[in-house]
Amino acid sequence: MAEPTINLIPAMIIERLGCPVLAVCGQQVPVSALLRQHPLLRRYLGRPIVVGVRPEHLQDAVVRQPAAAGSAALVLHGVVRLVRPAGPDRIVQLELADGEGCALPAPTVVARVSGCSSAGTGEPIMLAVDTRHMLVFDAQNGRSLW
């Protein structure tokens, strides 16, 4: 399995009960803090976006190292499809959980996680995404939104 330079994940920012959430493959993650940091994203409420994240910026949420002060983490759920050792780390290929509203097939993501991760093929996994390293693109024209 080749490790991609960046994972590109279709998403949308929507309002749920008056709070903005990032909808990714049927999963919904609160993003109020992210919108405060990047107010341009409010223009994309209800419009398709693409979230970009490098494999090394995804961590197994169960064994995740403490984040730096002021950073927030999004947690995405998936199912492990393949695991291989990579020095002190593990390369994990997973399919994001197929929640309601997910485009079929569910997006595949590659993460470089700690060697302490016990993720195994066919098992569920939660990935923490540090929003400081997340990129967001306009889904229609590919333009970076920050």
Side-chain angles (χ1 to χ4, degrees):
M1 146 183 48
E3 188 176 335
T5 305
I6 190 167
N7 292 291
L8 297 174
I9 306 165
M12 186 177 291
I13 298 173
I14 60 175
E15 291 258 355
R16 284 288 180 243
L17 303 173
C19 296
V21 295
L22 180 65
V24 178
C25 199
Q27 301 175 55
Q28 298 179 3
V29 183
V31 288
S32 294
L34 188 63
L35 290 180
R36 281 192 298 275
Q37 292 172 342
H38 303 285
L40 172 66
L41 288 180
R42 286 210 177 271
R43 293 186 199 164
Y44 285 83
L45 193 65
R47 294 172 48 195
I49 59 173
V50 174
V51 172
V53 63
R54 298 186 188 287
E56 62 271 19
H57 295 140
L58 294 167
Q59 297 179 32
D60 184 329
V62 175
V63 295
R64 180 183 144 189
Q65 300 297 317
S71 69
L74 304 176
V75 177
L76 300 173
H77 299 262
V79 177
V80 176
R81 296 296 176 219
L82 187 64
V83 179
R84 75 172 166 84
D89 299 327
R90 299 173 86 200
I91 304 299
V92 177
Q93 182 180 40
L94 61 124
E95 187 175 285
L96 290 182
D98 190 4
E100 180 183 334
C102 183
L104 295 175
T108 298
V109 173
V110 174
R112 178 180 283 270
V113 301
S114 164
C116 297
S117 171
S118 62
T121 303
E123 296 178 352
I125 187 171
M126 295 184 303
L127 286 181
V129 182
D130 186 333
T131 59
R132 294 173 305 160
H133 299 290
M134 190 173 75
L135 304 170
V136 178
F137 304 95
D138 183 310
Q140 306 234 333
N141 61 24
R143 187 182 72 175
S144 174
L145 301 180
W146 79 70

